[in-house]
Amino acid sequence: MNKISSIQAFEVLDSRGRPTVEAHLTLSSGLSASAQVPSGASTGASEAHELRDGDPQRYNGLGVRKACHNIETILAPALEGKSVFDQATIDQLMIDLDGTPNKSRLGANAILAISCATARAAAHSRKVPLWSHLAGNRKAVLPLPMVNILSGGLHAARAMEFQDFLAIPHAAGSFAEAMEWITKIHRKTRELLEEKGAYFTGVADEGGWGPRLATNEQALAILTEAIEKSGLAPGSQVSIALDVAASHFFAGGEYALRSEGRSMPARDFIDLLAGWCRKYPVVSIEDGLEQNAWSEWPELTHRLGEHAQIIGDDFLTTNPERLQRAIASKAANAVLVKMNQIGTLTETFAVIDKARASNWRAVISARSGETEDTFLTDLAIASGMAQLKVGSITRSERLAKYNRVLVLEQTTSLPHWSAASDRLPPIWRS
Ligand code: PGA
Ligand code: ZN
């Protein structure tokens, strides 16, 4: 009854208007489930391969008809008759059918769409919410959001080099209160930008403001001021996270802050970040160094890791081997988890569970190209890791995820992030 009877694939569009994959699974019971996959822009070099058609006549080569075709002609025939309760078997079968180390033959986009639809079909069959099905023995909690307020880098036409300036409302008593604080800070930030005459460009790819400012540091100062002017205490109620996304402005062995007309080696760049952590309430730094700087990440973590969460995104790419190496060399203390960086749910949970077992933190994250699919919310809750990074609050592909948490907070007895406070840095614990 819970066996897959057919799988269909569709080319649909993501939040940047680029094609992405949707898979529909139908079971012998007649139940069906679907899932859409996201897509990054500031991608890490060791991510699983997103298969694109390369036909310049359609979507500048970004079509995903080949990935859809692979689902219907290669993956579907192999999976028909398999039980959706065997997630690990299904994922492994797809990995084997692909046969490459980075899923480049069939496409991680094709594989992940089926992997997620399988979990959803299993949850439907068991008549339980997706988060509950995914959680298994893990302790499910509502996550603390890390919300993008100002954007730069590849998500905002490189007006600034740093990619995300985010607010973490860690002292909020509920998810609903956290989101209310965030909307105030987002609005106040816009007012401050206008007051300061910053060139106003609408919102960036994840819904944050993408202004042209004199320096990257000015964004940090404005965000700190916006928190204060929203009647909240920077540091004790709301802190700041940075996604530096440093790989994307690393050139010629240096971190090149072109908008500021300066460039510096890793040592000076770490000093710059350390100075900001002293001056502003920065408690989380993602991709503070570029993705191949294995010998310098331990220094960054040694210098700042006691007070700040040091997250690897492009650096670790949700990859169990890279995570293992980083744990062994103390290169960071947290991992960003993006399902499509690795391509199956089973491997994603392997990374989450490895982080937990190693006393690392994990932040469950969206991509800059998203869809209305809310799978990520359930993954974040199920992970028990207590942190969610989805982007800002002015684009519906982001709000779909936040809104699901808001409703679950009111309709379930799921505890909030403080119930998993051992997963959070000490200074965020209320
Ligand atoms: P991406 O950005 O989805 O474009 O990679 C998100 C991030 O860097 O965290
Ligand atoms: Zn990132």
Side-chain angles (χ1 to χ4, degrees), residues 163 243 286-287 313 336 338 389:
Q163 183 180 283
D243 182 0
E286 178 179 330
D287 283 346
D313 169 17
L336 202 76
K338 292 168 165 171
K389 182 187 179 217

Side-chain angles (χ1 to χ4, degrees), residues 68-79 97-98 105-106:
C68 290
H69 185 73
N70 290 344
I71 289 181
E72 295 192 343
T73 62
I74 301 174
L75 292 163
L79 296 174
L97 274 171
D98 174 81
R105 188 172 87 88
L106 302 178

Side-chain angles (χ1 to χ4, degrees), residues 157-388:
R158 292 188 189 274
M160 297 182 277
E161 285 74 24
F162 280 55
Q163 183 180 283
D164 291 15
F165 296 83
L166 311 99
I168 306 174
H170 46 80
S174 64
F175 193 84
E177 185 174 42
M179 294 313 289
E180 201 239 327
W181 288 4
I182 290 293
T183 61
K184 270 199 266 194
I185 295 165
H186 190 266
R187 203 167 45 237
K188 190 56 76 181
T189 301
R190 177 183 171 144
E191 280 170 32
L192 291 175
L193 288 172
E194 284 179 351
E195 252 171 63
K196 291 174 203 305
Y199 177 56
F200 192 71
T201 55
V203 296
D205 285 8
E206 296 194 4
W209 309 115
R212 210 167 273 287
L213 298 169
T215 62
N216 287 275
E217 186 178 351
Q218 210 190 343
L220 201 43
I222 288 173
L223 178 52
T224 309
E225 191 182 341
I227 295 169
E228 251 166 14
K229 294 217 160 120
S230 301
L232 295 158
S236 59
Q237 287 184 296
V238 180
S239 296
I240 293 179
L242 299 174
D243 182 0
V244 183
S247 299
H248 303 284
F249 56 90
F250 183 73
E254 300 217 321
Y255 295 87
L257 300 178
R258 276 206 192 87
S259 71
E260 302 179 19
R262 61 178 176 150
S263 181
M264 63 195 85
R267 179 176 301 270
D268 297 347
F269 197 61
I270 294 174
D271 283 344
L272 178 87
L273 295 173
W276 288 2
C277 284
R278 281 192 295 274
K279 195 166 165 194
Y280 304 97
V282 174
V283 296
S284 180
I285 300 175
E286 178 179 330
D287 283 346
L289 293 170
E290 60 97 13
Q291 61 198 330
N292 297 312
W294 284 99
S295 55
E296 285 138 353
W297 272 83
E299 171 65 13
L300 173 73
T301 304
H302 178 69
R303 288 271 301 275
L304 302 177
E306 196 153 328
H307 301 291
Q309 173 165 264
I310 306 295
I311 311 176
D313 169 17
D314 293 348
F315 178 47
L316 301 177
T317 58
T318 318
N319 181 307
E321 276 120 56
R322 291 180 78 90
L323 177 60
Q324 180 52 48
R325 183 174 170 192
I327 290 169
S329 56
K330 296 191 169 63
N333 60 30
V335 57
L336 202 76
V337 174
K338 292 168 165 171
M339 289 185 288
N340 79 327
Q341 284 183 327
I342 188 71
T344 65
L345 208 44
T346 302
E347 292 163 290
T348 302
F349 272 114
V351 165
I352 289 169
D353 292 338
K354 172 117 209 115
R356 177 185 293 103
S358 311
N359 222 7
W360 270 40
R361 297 168 193 120
V363 180
I364 313 303
S365 171
R367 299 307 307 240
S368 54
E370 273 291 335
T371 71
E372 59 276 23
D373 194 318
T374 59
F375 194 98
L376 189 76
T377 297
D378 290 70
L379 177 71
I381 293 171
S383 73
M385 298 303 273
Q387 293 189 69
L388 174 65

